Amino acid sequence: LFPQAEPHIAISYRAPTSGDRLFPAFLVLVRRLQANVERLDLSPNTFLVIYAPLDRPEVVTLNLPAVNQEAPEAVLARLGTYVDEMRNMPLDYPELKATGQYYNFLFCRESYSMEALARDPYGVAFTLGRKKQLGINGAAIIKKIEAVTRAELKEAAEIFAAENSAAVIVKIK
């Protein structure tokens, strides 16, 4: 069905709940993984980080194709090295502001203008309903993101430790 299909390697991690004290630091790390993908030299149609905090909040997955006959184990090692690099990067305080801005639309959608909200009534209804179901206070999460400490980030980095992951290699026949 997909003649250009390539093998893919995915690593998944359990995400903390929105009420967990490490959730804001976790979001900083997820954004960091997304913001630095150029280090992996990916094609523009590759989405490395798959995380939907309202749709499927319990898991975050990193997904890489194996290109040019690269052995899946080599891709897995490259992905593991990237995750470790992101886990160990020092906290950059402008990163907190950027992360807050990134998640603002998702968690604080109701604060946008009626014109902006009218473009996506389903998205607004879904977001408001899921936030209520999950007990998410968007404004509080954004404030907590912008106040994440080095210690919290280091502790949350353990979520992405290799021993806390599950890897899957999908080979194409």
Side-chain angles (χ1 to χ4, degrees), residues 2-42:
F2 303 98
Q4 271 77 36
E6 301 165 321
H8 274 254
I9 288 68
I11 302 178
S12 293
Y13 305 86
R14 181 176 301 281
T17 64
S18 60
D20 189 298
R21 68 178 185 78
L22 292 177
F23 185 66
F26 166 80
L27 292 175
V28 171
L29 290 167
V30 169
R31 178 65 183 133
R32 181 183 283 177
L33 287 161
Q34 294 170 324
N36 291 287
V37 294
E38 75 280 350
R39 295 179 188 202
L40 290 170
D41 195 31
L42 301 176

Side-chain angles (χ1 to χ4, degrees), residues 36-146:
N36 291 287
V37 294
E38 75 280 350
R39 295 179 188 202
L40 290 170
D41 195 31
L42 301 176
S43 70
N45 60 350
T46 300
F47 295 97
L48 175 70
V49 180
I50 302 165
Y51 178 58
L54 299 180
D55 301 73
R56 184 124 193 253
E58 66 278 355
V59 67
V60 58
T61 299
L62 307 180
N63 175 48
L64 267 185
V67 295
N68 300 324
Q69 305 299 317
E70 185 177 19
E73 294 76 15
V75 178
L76 187 58
R78 190 163 46 101
L79 189 52
T81 298
Y82 175 72
V83 171
D84 286 342
E85 190 179 316
M86 295 300 105
R87 288 176 62 218
N88 294 309
M89 274 177 65
L91 178 60
D92 173 14
Y93 287 101
E95 175 181 30
L96 300 179
K97 188 74 168 165
T99 302
Q101 290 170 344
Y102 178 80
Y103 286 107
N104 187 63
F105 183 69
L106 178 66
F107 291 128
C108 301
R109 192 178 275 207
E110 63 273 15
S111 67
Y112 283 74
S113 72
M114 287 301 243
E115 292 79 23
L117 297 176
R119 292 186 198 123
D120 184 18
Y122 171 80
V124 173
F126 175 79
T127 299
L128 293 174
R130 282 299 282 164
K131 280 175 46 180
K132 185 171 184 167
Q133 286 175 333
L134 297 170
I136 292 176
N137 178 329
I141 287 177
I142 301 304
K143 283 182 182 177
K144 288 177 183 177
I145 287 171
E146 294 176 355

